[in-house]
Amino acid sequence: MAKNFHTDNKAFMLYKDWEDIFQALDSSEEIGELVMALFAYAKRGETPKLSGGAKIAFLMMRAAIERDGIAWEEMCAQRSECGKKGGRPKKSDESGNTDEKAEQTAASADNAEEKPQGINDTAEKPKAFSQTKRFSEKAKKADKDIDIDIDKDTDKDIDKDKDKDKDKDKDKAIDKEKKKDAGTAKSVVGSFGTHKNIMLTSEQYNELESRCRSVGLSLESYISKLSQWLFTKGRHCTDPYRIISGWLDNDSKRKTAAKPKERQGCDLSWYDDFAMNFDLSKFF
């Protein structure tokens, strides 16, 4: 009977990089709801109703639990198939029966052979005949031993091919797991800003931070101002990455076009005036 990881597996995996996701949630109640939702899905396959950051985090963690559960089911199925195959039949009986048949055949041939006239039944057979019979029996046994050795070598070659195929399948499964883990790491969503209302993936945040650093700007300043504006207006931003990226492009062009004497030290007052007076309504 096929295994089901929801009902048959007694455990599920919690990954260390999930700690950042739990810490990004707003309250302990939201963390508790997320934890109970993970147990409900892993044990009974239930998908509870969540909202906000907890819902996004649950969808990501559910994918990892389902991936691990399917791998566990496949492992159980492989072990079951190996148990059904059993061992190979023994060949000792076959070789023994063959020897008995050969002896019976030789005996019947001796009895059926015509005796020459003038020779007693108790007379000894010529030495040449006895030596020839002995040599033929040795040749038959040698042929049987060769056949058995060939069968053993063939079985070993088959087992080696099976082991190679299993190793290839394991390598492919490991490569798939690495690719999935890499995609999950890039898609981890974090909440930023004073009011934790700016949602960016790790890849988006690192890209923006690198661009700001290259032109001497502060990404945290952009995030804080956008977070404060959304909180004051009571709005929700669906794509903060696009807005911050647009601001960064405009400010980078201004800094590049400005003359050296106009850029004095780290004075960002011109940026503060621009960010506070910029009309964000056109982006929503």
Side-chain angles (χ1 to χ4, degrees):
M1 184 176 180
K3 297 286 187 179
N4 187 307
F5 74 91
H6 288 299
T7 57
D8 299 325
N9 195 3
K10 296 182 179 180
F12 68 95
M13 186 72 70
L14 284 176
Y15 293 92
K16 292 182 179 179
D17 56 0
W18 288 359
E19 181 182 8
D20 297 334
I21 301 176
F22 281 108
Q23 291 179 350
L25 298 177
D26 294 334
S27 61
S28 300
E29 290 77 6
E30 198 171 13
I31 294 174
E33 291 177 358
L34 176 57
V35 172
M36 296 307 298
L38 293 176
F39 276 101
Y41 178 74
K43 189 175 182 180
R44 296 180 294 275
E46 298 176 357
T47 303
K49 294 182 179 180
L50 299 173
S51 61
K55 182 177 182 180
I56 297 174
F58 173 75
L59 294 176
M60 295 168 53
M61 296 177 181
R62 183 184 66 179
I65 293 173
E66 184 176 1
R67 179 192 66 217
D68 296 341
I70 293 174
W72 179 83
E73 291 176 357
E74 293 176 352
M75 181 185 67
C76 292
Q78 291 178 357
R79 290 181 178 177
S80 178
E81 289 296 328
C82 293
K84 292 178 181 178
K85 289 181 180 179
R88 291 178 57 82
K90 298 180 179 180
K91 293 186 177 181
S92 60
D93 294 337
E94 295 179 0
S95 60
N97 293 335
T98 303
D99 293 339
E100 292 177 359
K101 291 181 180 179
E103 292 175 359
Q104 292 176 0
T105 303
S108 61
D110 293 338
N111 294 331
E113 185 178 1
E114 295 182 357
K115 299 178 181 180
Q117 296 179 357
I119 299 177
N120 296 331
D121 295 339
T122 59
E124 295 181 357
K125 294 182 180 181
K127 294 182 178 180
F129 175 79
S130 60
Q131 291 177 356
T132 304
K133 182 179 179 181
R134 186 168 61 253
F135 291 151
S136 64
E137 290 176 353
K138 290 182 178 179
K140 289 180 180 179
K141 290 182 179 179
D143 292 337
K144 291 176 184 177
D145 294 337
I146 292 173
D147 293 337
I148 293 172
D149 293 336
I150 292 173
D151 292 338
K152 291 181 179 179
D153 294 337
T154 304
D155 294 338
K156 290 180 180 179
D157 293 336
I158 293 173
D159 294 336
K160 289 181 180 179
D161 293 337
K162 289 182 179 179
D163 294 336
K164 289 181 179 179
D165 294 336
K166 290 181 180 179
D167 293 337
K168 290 181 180 179
D169 294 336
K170 289 181 180 179
D171 293 338
K172 290 180 180 179
I174 292 172
D175 292 337
K176 289 182 179 179
E177 292 296 331
K178 289 182 179 179
K179 290 180 180 179
K180 289 181 179 179
D181 293 338
T184 303
K186 290 183 179 179
S187 61
V188 173
V189 179
S191 56
F192 302 92
T194 307
H195 303 283
K196 301 295 182 181
N197 53 356
I198 305 300
M199 307 300 292
L200 295 171
T201 65
S202 300
E203 186 178 12
Q204 290 174 342
Y205 183 89
N206 293 334
E207 180 187 350
L208 292 173
E209 186 178 24
S210 177
R211 290 169 58 188
C212 288
R213 192 183 303 111
S214 63
V215 295
L217 297 176
S218 172
L219 176 59
E220 295 298 330
S221 180
Y222 284 107
I223 293 175
S224 297
K225 291 187 180 298
L226 181 57
S227 175
Q228 183 63 32
W229 186 88
L230 293 173
F231 180 77
T232 303
K233 298 296 183 179
R235 296 185 179 181
H236 176 71
C237 181
T238 58
D239 192 1
Y241 170 78
R242 180 174 60 85
I243 296 174
I244 296 175
S245 180
W247 288 355
L248 181 58
D249 289 339
N250 293 333
D251 293 344
S252 299
K253 291 178 182 179
R254 289 187 179 184
K255 290 199 69 174
T256 303
K259 296 180 180 179
K261 63 181 182 179
E262 295 177 355
R263 293 180 292 173
Q264 300 177 356
C266 297
D267 183 14
L268 299 178
S269 58
W270 58 271
Y271 165 71
D272 293 334
D273 296 336
F274 167 77
M276 293 304 294
N277 298 323
F278 191 84
D279 186 12
L280 294 173
S281 61
K282 61 182 180 181
F283 289 98
F284 300 95

